[in-house]
């Protein structure tokens, strides 16, 4: 049987299916790992309630922990508190940048009427120029926006703070 600490180590190697350069723990969606009499219970909070990768993530978590000797693995989805980009680790933000995705800037908005924070000068993750323009509010997923750098002309996604 795996300890909770060893289970966390295993989960550090489980990639997010939409952004495979960061793990589910770096993304901040794994909230708890609890050892039970027969295995493990893992609590996850998806990036948003309609995230299409939720089932894939749960299965990847189960597969990794079972393969490591975790016994019965139950993955529980918890929607409250809602996931926020504030839960993305700093090393993961650097990995996003290296992968070509501008990481979320500033703190995620809070309160009943959140105002979306977009940096005035969004830096291109490829060349570092802050001369960029938003092409679309949505990128390959709802949590990202599509930008283009005016200096190097490369398109890039920006992981919006939520």
């Amino acid at each position: 049987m795996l300890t909770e600490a060893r289970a966390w180590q295993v989960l550090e190697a489980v990639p997010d299916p939409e952004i495979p350069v960061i793990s589910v723990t770096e993304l901040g969606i794994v909230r708890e790992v609890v050892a039970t009499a027969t295995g493990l219970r893992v609590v996850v909070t998806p990036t948003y309630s309609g995230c299409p990768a939720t089932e894939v993530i749960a299965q990847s978590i189960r597969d990794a922990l079972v393969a490591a000797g975790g016994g019965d693995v139950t993955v529980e989805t918890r929607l409250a508190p809602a996931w926020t980009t504030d839960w993305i680790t700093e090393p993961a933000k650097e990995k996003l940048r290296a992968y070509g995705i501008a990481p979320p800037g500033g703190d995620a908005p809070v309160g009943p009427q959140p105002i979306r924070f977009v940096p005035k000068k969004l830096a291109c993750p490829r060349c570092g120029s802050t001369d960029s323009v938003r092409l679309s509010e949505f990128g390959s997923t709802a949590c990202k926006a599509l930008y283009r750098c005016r200096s190097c002309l490369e398109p890039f996604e920006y992981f919006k703070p939520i």
Side-chain angles (χ1 to χ4, degrees):
M1 219 40 83
L2 292 181
T3 65
E4 291 171 9
R6 177 67 183 122
W8 278 103
Q9 290 175 334
V10 170
L11 293 175
E12 288 173 7
V14 176
D16 176 74
E18 293 175 336
I19 310 170
V21 295
I22 59 175
S23 72
V24 293
T25 58
E26 291 173 310
L27 188 56
I29 61 174
V30 178
R31 306 307 303 149
E32 291 178 20
V33 176
V34 179
T36 67
T38 59
L40 297 163
R41 180 174 58 86
V42 179
V43 178
V44 296
T45 298
T47 54
Y48 68 101
S49 61
C51 178
T54 302
E55 289 302 315
V56 172
I57 290 168
Q59 190 61 52
S60 296
I61 288 170
R62 275 188 217 95
D63 291 347
L65 291 173
V66 167
D72 261 347
V73 177
T74 304
V75 178
E76 174 187 318
T77 300
R78 184 179 299 157
L79 301 178
W83 178 85
T84 169
T85 51
D86 291 342
W87 295 354
I88 299 174
T89 67
E90 288 304 315
K93 290 178 183 179
E94 289 308 312
K95 289 178 182 180
L96 286 171
R97 190 179 335 279
Y99 189 63
I101 298 173
D107 293 330
V110 294
Q113 296 177 348
I115 297 171
R116 194 165 296 281
F117 171 79
V118 177
K120 290 182 186 196
K121 295 185 175 188
L122 186 59
C124 172
R126 289 176 175 79
C127 74
S129 170
T130 56
D131 187 11
S132 59
V133 61
R134 186 176 70 191
L135 301 176
S136 175
E137 178 66 26
F138 299 101
S140 62
T141 60
C143 60
K144 293 184 289 233
L146 183 61
Y147 280 74
R148 181 177 53 236
C149 176
R150 290 180 175 157
S151 293
C152 70
L153 302 179
E154 287 293 321
F156 65 92
E157 291 187 302
Y158 169 57
F159 204 122
K160 299 181 284 191
I162 55 175

